[in-house]
Amino acid sequence: MNQPVVELDKVRRVYGRGETEVQALRGVDLSVDSGESVAIVGRSGSGKSTLMHSMALLDRPTSGQVRVNGDPTSHLTERQVASLRNASFGFVFQQFFLVAGRSVLDNVTLPLAIAGVRPKERTRRGMEVLEALEISEKARARANDLSGGQKQRVAIARALINDPSVIFADEPTGNLDEVTGAVVEDLLFSLNRERDITLIIVTHDPELAHRCHRTVTIQDGTLTTSNATGATA
Ligand code: ADP
Ligand code: MG
């Protein structure tokens, strides 16, 4: 039986106040099971990123509860939230967010450096994920000298370095051409199948959404559908 890994309970997120107030999430209930792949779709400004950031503990709700592995998080301090996030989640973004002048290995092991892991151990684990993603020959290259597809592969390696249970991806193929994007998609879905890593993917791409077990549609801060797509990834 798969257990819920991330659950939202009546999550509201209000930005600003008074005349500039925006209700980005209007009481969202959503539960994602361990091992699922879920696409979040909706128009620009509908609340996709806010929803993803709330699930990923990058942003805290105005009200409501986010549970991770069944445990509520609203009472946690910022520090506790950060450590839970770093232990449980990996992130892949459209813009890659690599440190341009640093080596691939430095970029991939950055989360370990932040967590205080010693350099030798960082290198060992960094090389391990780079080898698993078949890009270890680029370990010493500067991040800036890579192609878009290679950069996203490095970003996925970095997302994997802490052995996360969930990978959150916000438009992961948005900056890639079709062929390279397909390779990156295949990589994400193979992590889902082979390592049982839960995928939560924000996308505009109907084909990518269709490869996920389930699509969640958000409209003006409210979930409108939560359908099984019936896809076999
Ligand atoms: P999407 O990712 O679907 O484009 P967002 O979650 O980014 O949507 O935004 C949802 C709504 O919240 C939009 O109206 C947006 O303008 C607003 N919003 C998002 N972030 C902020 C912010 N930091 N301050 C004020 N309003 C914001
Ligand atoms: Mg967005």
Side-chain angles (χ1 to χ4, degrees):
M1 249 326 257
N2 280 345
Q3 302 283 336
V5 60
V6 181
E7 298 163 275
L8 301 192
D9 189 11
K10 299 187 185 67
V11 166
R12 305 181 66 85
R13 178 64 164 99
V14 181
Y15 293 112
R17 49 170 59 209
E19 282 188 7
T20 61
E21 181 178 296
V22 176
Q23 306 224 11
L25 298 177
R26 301 171 187 261
V28 169
D29 295 317
L30 179 62
S31 175
V32 175
D33 281 349
S34 166
E36 261 197 296
S37 56
V38 177
I40 298 172
V41 304
R43 291 184 173 190
S44 180
S46 59
K48 300 183 296 297
S49 293
T50 306
L51 175 60
M52 194 198 94
H53 292 169
S54 303
M55 298 177 88
L57 307 175
L58 287 167
D59 181 52
R60 306 193 83 162
T62 306
S63 66
Q65 187 62 267
V66 179
R67 279 189 292 277
V68 175
N69 296 319
D71 298 325
T73 60
S74 61
H75 63 290
L76 299 179
T77 64
E78 287 302 322
R79 226 189 146 95
Q80 289 170 323
V81 163
S83 106
L84 177 60
R85 186 175 61 229
N86 294 340
S88 313
F89 301 150
F91 295 93
V92 177
F93 296 97
Q94 178 173 6
Q95 308 87 337
F96 317 126
F97 290 129
L98 300 179
V99 185
R102 302 291 292 271
S103 73
V104 163
L105 185 61
D106 283 352
N107 270 280
V108 167
T109 57
L110 189 64
L112 300 180
I114 292 168
V117 176
R118 285 161 184 270
K120 245 193 175 153
E121 173 71 2
R122 295 207 297 260
T123 301
R124 190 189 66 74
R125 286 171 59 184
M127 290 309 294
E128 196 174 276
V129 290
L130 288 171
E131 272 154 30
L133 296 195
E134 296 173 358
I135 194 163
S136 58
E137 76 282 0
K138 294 287 183 193
R140 306 286 164 196
R142 288 189 328 149
N144 221 19
D145 296 336
L146 304 178
S147 70
Q150 289 170 332
K151 282 180 185 162
Q152 202 57 305
R153 195 170 277 261
V154 170
I156 293 170
R158 182 183 53 192
L160 284 173
I161 196 82
N162 276 326
D163 203 12
S165 51
V166 183
I167 289 181
F168 290 92
D170 198 344
E171 297 281 357
T173 59
N175 271 333
L176 305 175
D177 63 65
E178 205 171 314
V179 173
T180 312
V183 173
V184 166
E185 278 181 27
D186 289 347
L187 180 55
L188 288 171
F189 285 107
S190 72
L191 295 172
N192 174 248
R193 273 195 314 272
E194 289 159 22
R195 301 201 201 182
D196 218 31
I197 294 176
T198 307
L199 294 181
I200 298 176
I201 305 177
V202 170
T203 184
H204 279 103
D205 178 351
E207 283 177 33
L208 173 52
H210 196 73
R211 290 184 73 174
C212 295
H213 296 122
R214 183 153 65 111
T215 295
V216 168
T217 304
I218 183 166
Q219 191 176 352
D220 194 19
T222 305
L223 299 194
T224 55
T225 56
S226 182
N227 290 332
T229 53
T232 47

